[in-house]
Structures are given as structure tokens and as C-alpha cells.
């Protein structure tokens, strides 16, 4: 996964190392860093969302969402990024799109795209979220298509970089795992797969 959404937890670990804390307090600081950033992003998303804010709050207040926000993984910060993207997208759908709002619409497109690129780099399976910039009103079609393409490019570039630099066989004595070969085997032997 991309390191971007791990930065709050990393900051907590760096602080704990600087003041020579043991492992458990270091974990607490990492979790606190994640919680602060995730809650801040979610709060900003709620602030800008307008009428859909109660529904967004309902999702963010689910026990799993709250647990992820206080976890030492990227998931809570990812939820915060999605909340801010959803809030901005909802706000853009509620306001009229005249020329005075063109700059606001362009800023919204950039912020939504950055948040979604971070999410998609963190979880490549969320790449379909790149469709959201295409749905934003008030921005010409070209920039919206470019934003969606850049989100997909960021996801693909990070995945390719990780595949080349970080994916290694866990057991050198066993031939490398071949996902394409596994898929072919599953398609040829559906009964044995079950």
C-alpha cells in the first residue's frame, strides 16, 4: 500500500522514538495520530457536505468506522479522505454553477481528486471511485476526464512501483505464485475450486 495514508501513524511513532517511549505507548501515539487526522478530515467533509451531512455522519459514526479511525492502519485516514471527497461532491451538486462558482468548482475537482487518488493508491481495488470526478458539475468535461485519468494513473503507477520493488516470493524454495496461472486453473477446474 501507498505510504501516504500511514503518515499520521508514522508521525506518532517518530514522536515516541524521539522521547524514548516503549512499544505500547508508541502504538497509542500512532493510533492517536490516525484518529486526529481521520476525525479532522471527516469533520471537514461533514462541514462542507450541506444537506447530506447527517447521512454522512451516520456512516462515519458506525462502530466499524470509529474503530478504524482509532487504529494504527491506513483505513481510518482513508475513511476521512472519502468523507471529504463525498462532502465536497455533495456540496458541488447543491449549488448553482454560474461563472462566479467556476473557481470553486475547479478547486473542488482538485481536492476531490487528491483525496480519491490517495485512497486508490492505498487500496487499488477502490479504483472505480475515479468515476466521481466525472460526476462533478460546474467543471468542463476535459478537466473532469483528466482528473479521473490521473486518479487511475496514480493508482496504477503506485501498484506498478510496489510490484517491482516490494513484491518478493515469501518462500524462495517454492516457485513464484502466478495469479494468471491460478485464474486459468480455476476456470478450467471449477468443480475442484469449490
Amino acid at each position: 500500500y501507498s505510504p501516504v495514508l500511514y503518515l499520521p501513524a508514522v508521525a506518532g511513532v517518530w514522536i515516541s522514538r524521539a522521547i524514548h517511549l516503549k512499544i505500547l505507548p508508541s502504538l497509542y501515539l500512532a493510533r492517536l495520530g490516525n484518529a486526529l487526522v481521520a476525525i479532522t478530515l471527516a469533520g471537514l467533509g461533514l462541514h462542507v457536505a450541506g444537506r447530506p451531512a447527517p447521512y454522512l455522519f451516520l456512516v462515519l459514526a458506525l462502530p466499524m468506522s470509529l474503530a478504524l479511525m482509532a487504529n494504527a492502519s491506513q483505513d481510518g485516514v482513508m475513511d476521512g479522505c472519502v468523507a471529504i471527497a463525498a462532502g465536497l461532491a455533495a456540496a458541488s451538486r447543491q449549488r448553482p454553477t454560474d461563472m462566479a462558482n467556476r473557481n470553486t468548482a475547479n478547486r473542488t475537482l482538485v481536492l476531490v481528486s487528491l483525496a480519491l487518488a490517495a485512497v486508490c493508491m492505498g487500496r487499488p481495488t477502490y479504483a472505480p471511485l475515479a468515476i466521481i470526478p466525472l460526476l462533478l458539475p460546474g467543471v468542463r468535461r476535459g478537466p473532469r476526464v483528466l482528473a479521473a485519468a490521473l486518479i487511475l494513473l496514480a493508482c496504477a503507477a503506485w501498484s506498478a512501483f510496489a510490484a517491482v520493488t516490494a513484491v518478493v516470493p515469501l518462500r524462495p524454495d517454492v516457485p513464484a505464485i502466478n495469479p494468471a496461472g491460478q485464474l486459468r486453473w480455476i476456470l478450467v477446474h471449477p468443480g475442484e475450486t469449490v
Side-chain angles (χ1 to χ4, degrees):
Y1 300 132
S2 163
V4 173
L5 300 177
Y6 286 102
L7 291 178
V10 169
V13 172
W14 283 346
I15 291 169
S16 67
R17 291 180 83 188
I19 57 177
H20 306 290
L21 293 178
K22 295 189 185 242
I23 292 175
L24 190 56
S26 296
L27 174 63
Y28 291 156
L29 269 181
R31 293 173 70 177
L32 178 63
N34 267 2
L36 291 175
V37 171
I39 290 169
T40 300
L41 291 172
L44 289 171
L46 289 169
H47 176 71
V48 299
R51 288 188 312 251
Y55 303 106
L56 184 57
F57 177 78
L58 183 67
V59 172
L60 292 168
L62 289 171
M64 192 64 206
S65 298
L66 295 174
L68 290 174
M69 288 183 190
N71 200 338
S73 72
Q74 68 175 351
D75 298 318
V77 179
M78 188 178 293
D79 285 353
C81 286
V82 170
I84 204 160
L88 287 167
S92 73
R93 305 288 302 171
Q94 295 171 51
R95 65 177 173 258
T97 55
D98 56 11
M99 286 307 281
N101 288 333
R102 182 76 65 186
N103 288 337
T104 302
N106 288 332
R107 280 193 301 269
T108 296
L109 178 66
V110 169
L111 292 173
V112 166
S113 299
L114 288 173
L116 293 177
V119 169
C120 293
M121 288 169 60
R123 289 272 197 285
T125 54
Y126 292 168
L129 291 175
I131 196 171
I132 292 173
L134 298 174
L135 306 174
L136 295 177
V139 181
R140 291 187 323 273
R141 184 173 175 226
R144 288 183 289 144
V145 170
L146 178 62
L150 289 174
I151 291 169
L152 294 173
L153 180 64
C155 179
W158 177 258
S159 296
F161 174 77
V164 170
T165 60
V167 177
V168 296
L170 296 176
R171 291 192 44 200
D173 59 322
V174 176
I177 295 172
N178 181 352
Q182 290 177 347
L183 182 59
R184 280 192 302 275
W185 188 89
I186 289 170
L187 292 173
V188 172
H189 304 92
E192 292 183 42
T193 302
V194 175

